[in-house]
């Protein structure tokens, strides 16, 4: 069966790097925040092994920015997240679960503090700009909420530091995890952060003028040649093994941050002003009913389906699989699943009802 194609139109916005991505031989895209996100270049498995041993350049411009600027910026940010932002420093990135009035996840962005009155929210796949604009207008905050011309480009993998140091200078090596620094290249300022959607280490470079996208790409590729750099993208196998969650796949508005294992990024009691705070305090008192876990599924070559696969123990519902991939390194199918509390202990034997039939699986902790 020939899989269906994705019809791309202008609504599916391209990026300042799209031409280079095409030239690099992209084989598959997904749509993320209404934009093109390259997912495969050689093959999922080949890209996976390359990412683990070399360096890749990723067009992640679809991680769109919501800029909040003005005297009430910090107050508006704290309205958005149960993470306590009161000690956040300029130059820090925070992974910030964002919730609605019921405590349901509406996004899990990375927030950057550029100045006391200026933040970027680097969003996952939901229309957060509209929520932030609505809240700021409804609460009459003294801020401007905009989408700036900013596009993240990631360099990921064990050789990423060498590549970024070759482009921006040795000073880049001293940037700590989830910190950023403004750096100059050919007279242009870039925000260079040690972060990214892989567990292999690396940087995210925030381009601040689309006109310079292709020259930035070319400079990185040229500097990366001695390190074997290639184009890549967020890799399904690597992110499932690493336990990196994907909004819209592994969690939706029906999940609390605690169910998503993001409780460690919430200080709900201290996050005074946070929308959904009362609901989340109730969740903390009662404890979550279900939680994100890893699974090792005894199966190979499972086809993708639109519906999540149910997880059962005997006749009982035990959860659902939300992301999965064959791991050529671990030689098992690895998965991210939402597992009910009676079954979430690591080591628990469960059954995953795959499109190829029921398969035995084991609950494990993430990352694998
Ligand atoms: N980088 C940037 N923006 C993004 C993403 C990114 N926006 C969309 C999406 N990714 C948001 N989701 C995540 C999920 C996980 C992480 C970052 C963004 C992540 N997590 C670290 C981990 O799990 O190891 C923990 C971070 C921490 O300890 O603070 O990196 O990737 N710009």
């Amino acid at each position: 069966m020939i899989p269906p194609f994705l019809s791309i139109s202008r609504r599916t916005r391209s990026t300042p790097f799209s031409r280079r991505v095409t030239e690099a031989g992209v084989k598959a895209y997904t749509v993320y925040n209404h934009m093109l996100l390259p997912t495969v270049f050689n093959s999922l498995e080949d890209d996976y092994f390359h990412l683990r041993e070399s360096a890749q350049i990723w067009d992640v411009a679809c991680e769109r920015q919501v800029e909040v600027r003005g005297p009430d910026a910090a107050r508006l940010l704290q309205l958005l997240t149960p993470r306590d932002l009161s000690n956040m420093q300029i130059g820090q990135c925070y992974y910030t679960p964002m919730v609605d009035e019921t405590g349901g996840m509406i996004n899990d962005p990375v927030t950057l503090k550029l100045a006391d009155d200026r933040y970027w929210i680097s969003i996952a796949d939901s229309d957060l700009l509209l929520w932030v604009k609505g809240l700021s207008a409804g609460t009459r905050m003294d801020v401007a909420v905009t989408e700036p011309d900013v596009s993240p480009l990631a360099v990921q993998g064990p050789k990423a530091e060498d590549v970024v140091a070759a482009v921006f200078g040795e000073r880049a090596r001293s940037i700590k995890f989830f910190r950023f620094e403004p750096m100059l290249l050919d007279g242009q300022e870039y925000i260079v952060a040690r972060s990214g959607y892989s567990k292999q280490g690396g940087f995210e470079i925030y381009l601040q003028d689309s006109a310079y996208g292709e020259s930035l790409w070319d400079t990185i590729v040229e500097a990366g040649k001695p390190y074997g750099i290639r184009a890549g993208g967020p890799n399904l196998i690597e992110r499932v093994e690493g336990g990196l969650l994907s909004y819209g796949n592994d969690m939706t508005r029906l999940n609390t941050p605690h169910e998503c294992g993001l409780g460690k990024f919430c200080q709900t009691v201290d996050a005074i002003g946070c929308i959904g705070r009362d609901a989340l305090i109730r969740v903390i008192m009662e404890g979550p009913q279900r939680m994100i876990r890893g699974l090792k599924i005894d199966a190979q070559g499972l086809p993708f389906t639109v519906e999540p696969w149910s997880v059962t123990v005997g006749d009982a519902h035990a959860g659902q699989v939300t992301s999965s991939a064959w791991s050529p390194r671990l030689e098992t199918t690895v998965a991210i699943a939402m597992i009910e509390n009676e079954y979430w202990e690591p080591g628990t034997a469960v059954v995953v009802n795959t499109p190829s039939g029921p398969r035995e699986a084991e609950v494990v902790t993430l990352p694998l």
Side-chain angles (χ1 to χ4, degrees):
M1 194 178 81
I2 299 169
F5 285 95
L6 178 69
S7 299
I8 295 172
S9 71
R10 193 156 172 243
R11 277 188 308 102
T12 321
R13 210 172 75 183
S14 61
T15 86
F17 316 114
S18 287
R19 215 156 16 175
R20 293 293 183 264
V21 164
T22 306
E23 289 162 3
V26 63
K27 286 219 178 78
Y29 286 107
T30 187
V31 176
Y32 194 96
N33 280 323
H34 317 283
M35 290 176 70
L36 290 172
L37 171 58
T39 53
V40 180
F41 283 82
N42 281 7
S43 70
L44 200 58
E45 293 191 11
D46 191 71
D47 293 354
Y48 164 82
F49 284 118
H50 178 264
L51 171 62
R52 291 176 54 91
E53 66 202 21
S54 182
Q56 289 185 352
I57 181 169
W58 294 3
D59 174 0
V60 285
C62 65
E63 295 167 352
R64 292 164 68 163
Q65 307 303 302
V66 175
E67 178 167 304
V68 179
R69 191 168 198 167
D72 287 333
R75 201 155 62 91
L76 179 54
L77 259 293
Q78 191 63 84
L79 209 57
L80 295 168
T81 178
R83 185 155 181 182
D84 179 12
L85 304 181
S86 59
N87 292 319
M88 188 176 188
Q89 305 294 309
I90 296 165
Q92 269 191 305
C93 311
Y94 268 17
Y95 185 32
T96 38
M98 293 193 173
V99 300
D100 67 11
E101 74 287 358
T102 71
M105 292 288 299
I106 53 171
N107 206 291
D108 68 329
V110 176
T111 297
L112 290 78
K113 182 169 180 175
L114 298 156
D116 285 328
D117 61 354
R118 187 174 174 223
Y119 296 80
W120 284 345
I121 308 172
S122 184
I123 66 173
D125 189 16
S126 77
D127 294 322
L128 199 75
L129 179 71
L130 305 178
W131 169 255
V132 182
K133 274 184 175 293
L135 283 178
S136 97
T139 56
R140 297 178 181 278
M141 294 239 186
D142 189 1
V143 290
V145 179
T146 58
E147 177 168 19
D149 179 8
V150 171
S151 304
L153 182 68
V155 183
Q156 298 288 298
K159 304 280 174 64
E161 186 181 303
D162 290 328
V163 178
V164 171
V167 173
F168 288 96
E170 292 298 307
R171 191 161 63 89
R173 295 188 193 274
S174 64
I175 299 173
K176 294 198 180 75
F177 184 62
F178 266 52
R179 296 266 175 175
F180 67 82
E181 280 185 35
M183 303 195 110
L184 285 175
L185 177 66
D186 299 331
Q188 285 294 116
E189 186 200 83
Y190 297 88
I191 298 295
V192 181
R194 194 184 287 268
S195 57
Y197 199 63
S198 88
K199 289 285 197 177
Q200 306 310 312
F203 293 79
E204 290 179 304
I205 300 154
Y206 293 76
L207 167 75
Q208 300 188 64
D209 182 341
S210 292
Y212 292 86
E214 291 177 4
S215 68
L216 175 64
W217 180 283
D218 294 342
T219 303
I220 292 170
V221 168
E222 191 55 39
K225 275 187 183 151
Y227 304 102
I229 200 167
R230 270 184 13 196
N235 184 277
L236 177 68
I237 306 167
E238 200 274 343
R239 80 130 183 117
V240 170
E241 285 182 0
L244 291 170
L245 304 183
S246 168
Y247 186 76
N249 285 319
D250 305 314
M251 56 185 153
T252 70
R253 222 167 52 234
L254 300 179
N255 300 115
T256 64
H258 303 274
E259 289 179 349
C260 304
L262 302 180
K264 59 178 179 283
F265 298 108
C266 300
Q267 298 81 31
T268 309
V269 174
D270 298 315
I272 293 167
C274 167
I275 289 180
R277 185 165 171 259
D278 294 348
L280 289 181
I281 286 175
R282 217 159 38 239
V283 169
I284 294 166
M285 312 257 272
E286 291 168 7
Q289 293 298 304
R290 54 193 71 82
M291 198 117 79
I292 291 272
R293 284 287 183 267
L295 290 181
K296 286 184 181 175
I297 308 174
D298 187 13
Q300 190 170 3
L302 297 174
F304 171 80
T305 59
V306 174
E307 290 301 318
W309 306 334
S310 71
V311 179
T312 49
V313 172
D315 290 336
H317 168 77
Q320 62 175 16
V321 170
T322 52
S323 296
S324 71
W326 170 255
S327 167
R329 183 174 59 92
L330 303 173
E331 297 191 322
T332 183
T333 290
V334 293
I336 296 175
M338 190 64 81
I339 302 292
E340 299 298 321
N341 60 5
E342 300 102 286
Y343 308 102
W344 70 29
E345 225 28 69
T348 304
V350 296
V351 168
V352 177
N353 299 286
T354 79
S356 309
R359 294 286 184 274
E360 289 177 7
E362 181 191 347
V363 176
V364 295
T365 52
L366 293 168
L368 279 143

